[in-house]
Each structure stands twice: as C-alpha cells, then as structure tokens.
Amino acid sequence: MPVLDPAAWTCPAPLRDQPRVVMGHGGGGALSAELVQHVFAPAFGGGVLAQMGDSAAVTLGGVRMAFSTDSFVVRPLFFPGGSIGDLAVNGTVNDLAMSGARAAYLSCGFILEEGVGMETVARVAEALGAAARTAGVEIATGDTKVVESGHGDGIYINTAGIGLIPAGVDLRPQRVVPGDVVMVSGAIGVHGVAVMSVREGLEFGVEIESDCAALGGLVDAMLAVTPDLHVLRDPTRGGLAASLNEIAAASGTGVVIREREVPVPPAVANACAVLGLDPLYVANEGKLVAFVPREHADAVLDAMRAHPLGAGSTVIGEVVADHPGMVVARTGLGGTRVDDLPIGEQLPRIC
C-alpha cells in the first residue's frame, strides 16, 4: 500500500506535515482544500470531479442534470430553527440549486449509534420528511446502519440528490469576469451562532434561530429574470469568506466587498464579538451569494427581494481585475484588509 508523503506535495499548504486528520480538515477552509487536492482528487481523477462545485453538472442520456451528496454530523441534533433532519434535506437541495437545478429526488442514509433513543430517531425522520415536502423533493431511496455505542454521536445522515438543469443555465466560477456584481440574499452568520448558542448553553439576550431553508424557489425567481447568472454558492462551511475566496481562485479574478454593506444582524455581531469570531467565516444554511453580470444586477436583486427567502438581499461588492484570487474588504474606516481562506473552521460540527 503506498505511503502518503506530504513533503512530496507540489503545492505546500498549512499543516502540510500533519500526519493525522484534524477537525480543520472538515471545515471548508484551506485544510479541506488541501485534503481534497492532494489526497482525494489524485486518487479519484475524472473530468467531472474537476468542477469542484457544490454539485456536479453531468449529462446522461442527453439530459443535463446536477448531482450532489453531503453528510451531516451536526451537534446538537436539534437547535433553534431546525434540526439535523432539516439540514440533511436543505443542504443537498441547496447544493443542487447552486447549479441552477431544482432538486427532484434524494437518497437518505442514517448512521445510528447503538443506544440512541427511538423517539429521537423518529423526531429526526419526521423533520426530514417535512423538510422534503416543503422543498418539493421526494426521498426515493435510503439505507440504515448501526454502529456500536461510543463509535458515533447519536445520528449521522448522508444524502444525495439529483435535479434537472434548465436549458441555457451555466453556473460556474470560470464565467466570473471583472465588473460582475456580488450580492447576498440576506443576513449572514445566523446558523452557526444559533447552533453554538445551544451547544455551549450561551445566552445573548435574544434567541437566534437558524436560517436553514431550501433555496430552490429563490434561485428559480432569479433565473426567471435571466439565465445568464455567472455563479451561485451557499456559504455553508467556512462562511461567506470561504465561498468568495473559492470563486476568486477558480475564476482568476479579484473580489472587493464593502464591509459595511455585508448584512450582519446585531445579535450575531454581538455574539461573535463575545466569542471572538468573525461573522464572515461563520456558516449559513439558508443564504446564497450570487455573481451577476452588471447589466442584470438591478433586475435580479429586485426579484430576490420579492421572494420571502431573499427579502434582505443586498449588493456587497464587485469583481475586479486587480489582485486575482484574492478577496479584499473595504472597511468602514476607509482602509482595506484581506479576507483570506480560513485554515479550518471557527465552529466545527454545525452542518
């Protein structure tokens, strides 16, 4: 069996000599990218995998569709505004939506730890089923495994999904060009702080509820204005900053955001200040970031604001030719700072 030699990697990365997996490898930041680029991608190969998007666009039998899979290991299983069951549906539905596809069918695999309460399993299953019905998607197949007590965390869920991509829709970072307008569909950081508040028993004066939601309808409203959107992402692991950095790197362009325009609710800002977190790096589960050609930006923004899940949509920046692959924030004091790809994740186990 070949031995992996980090010293032989062609592109040094943080903790490149780390001999074992650490939590940061699952955080959606630089360590996750390192793991994928140097371990999984060389082992798997293939042109479709090279897309490296939220979902893969594939053609089968002359039909263009999106295909995605995700695993959910959130702790706790239930949190204000949702549960691991809601996440399992909405997370995969949203990954498909970021390719422009409306999800049609999902698979669902439950990994249960011996000793977990049957009532808990039933609550999660009911939440998952309800979320699927709300999203207009069918659970078509599934699997159940049980692991010994102490070898799991109650319930883990894996889902995969497929959906058709409408004609004329081509959403990928390589289409991003200088002049594109960058917008988000609402307040950021809400999901991560909601989960952390329950996990750590923290109180911030008001209850913060997760923004977990299926975004297929919002994306449909945007595509109804024009199919010529350049790229969509749901900023989950690693938050908004990670998504912007990934798009900037893949497109070879620079991104400039205006810090004051990024919508951060006061409760989230206060919680992050107490916890020493940056809201730009906190996960979301019901928001998207869009890169839109300037000529369509106003109409797309109006359509987003007319949808219940996009009422708080706003423009936060633009794409530039300068500093390719880099995200720069203009601060409220008139200065600038680089918002780099995070190494790991500030808040693990939240999706």
Side-chain angles (χ1 to χ4, degrees):
M1 181 175 180
V3 177
L4 183 66
D5 180 12
W9 292 353
T10 58
C11 181
L15 293 185
R16 62 194 295 267
D17 58 348
Q18 178 68 33
R20 299 182 183 277
V21 172
V22 297
M23 289 298 295
H25 282 112
L31 287 178
S32 290
E34 171 187 314
L35 182 63
V36 171
Q37 292 168 5
H38 296 295
V39 178
F40 296 137
F44 302 157
V48 175
L49 184 63
Q51 296 177 27
M52 293 295 179
D54 288 329
S55 60
V58 298
T59 300
L60 185 64
V63 177
R64 191 160 174 257
M65 63 181 66
F67 177 41
S68 184
T69 186
D70 209 341
S71 299
F72 301 87
V73 296
V74 65
R75 179 169 56 85
L77 300 175
F78 302 92
F79 47 83
S83 70
I84 190 173
D86 300 283
L87 287 177
V89 170
N90 294 337
T92 300
V93 166
N94 292 345
D95 283 348
L96 294 171
M98 297 308 106
S99 290
R102 171 57 74 96
Y105 298 101
L106 298 184
S107 69
C108 178
F110 272 74
I111 302 173
L112 308 176
E113 182 184 14
E114 181 184 25
V116 67
M118 198 62 71
E119 180 183 357
T120 299
V121 177
R123 285 182 62 195
V124 170
E126 289 169 2
L128 193 152
R133 289 187 289 273
T134 298
V137 64
E138 182 177 348
I139 307 298
T141 187
D143 182 53
T144 304
K145 293 292 187 295
V146 177
V147 298
E148 296 90 343
S149 178
H151 291 264
D153 196 12
I155 299 174
Y156 298 150
I157 300 176
N158 172 270
T159 50
I162 57 173
L164 300 181
I165 301 176
V169 174
D170 183 16
L171 297 171
R172 49 191 173 90
Q174 291 75 19
R175 298 194 63 220
V176 171
V177 295
D180 281 357
V181 175
V182 182
M183 53 186 74
V184 295
S185 62
I188 67 166
V190 180
H191 172 73
V193 172
V195 174
M196 179 57 68
S197 66
V198 177
R199 182 188 301 173
E200 304 299 333
L202 302 174
E203 295 184 4
F204 302 108
V206 296
E207 183 176 71
I208 302 174
E209 291 194 355
S210 170
D211 58 352
C212 183
L215 298 172
L218 175 60
V219 172
D220 286 347
M222 298 167 68
L223 291 174
V225 174
T226 175
D228 189 29
L229 306 180
H230 284 172
V231 69
L232 302 176
R233 284 289 173 87
D234 57 334
T236 52
R237 295 182 305 168
L240 178 62
S243 292
L244 295 176
N245 272 278
E246 290 168 359
I247 293 168
S251 63
T253 62
V255 175
V256 176
I257 62 173
R258 295 179 291 276
E259 193 175 61
R260 284 185 172 177
E261 301 300 321
V262 179
V264 181
V268 171
N270 293 337
C272 287
V274 170
L275 297 170
L277 305 176
D278 185 336
L280 287 176
Y281 294 90
V282 177
N284 312 271
E285 285 293 346
K287 300 296 187 299
L288 63 79
V289 56
F291 285 59
V292 181
R294 187 170 296 277
E295 62 268 26
H296 300 307
D298 289 342
V300 170
L301 186 62
D302 288 343
M304 294 171 70
R305 288 174 171 171
H307 191 278
L309 295 179
S313 297
T314 187
V315 172
I316 62 169
E318 62 183 350
V319 178
V320 297
D322 299 332
H323 51 78
M326 185 180 297
V327 178
V328 172
R330 292 177 179 163
T331 69
L333 298 177
T336 60
R337 75 161 194 253
V338 175
D339 285 325
D340 205 355
L341 188 69
I343 299 297
E345 186 174 34
Q346 297 181 110
L347 301 174
R349 301 286 303 281
I350 58 176
C351 59

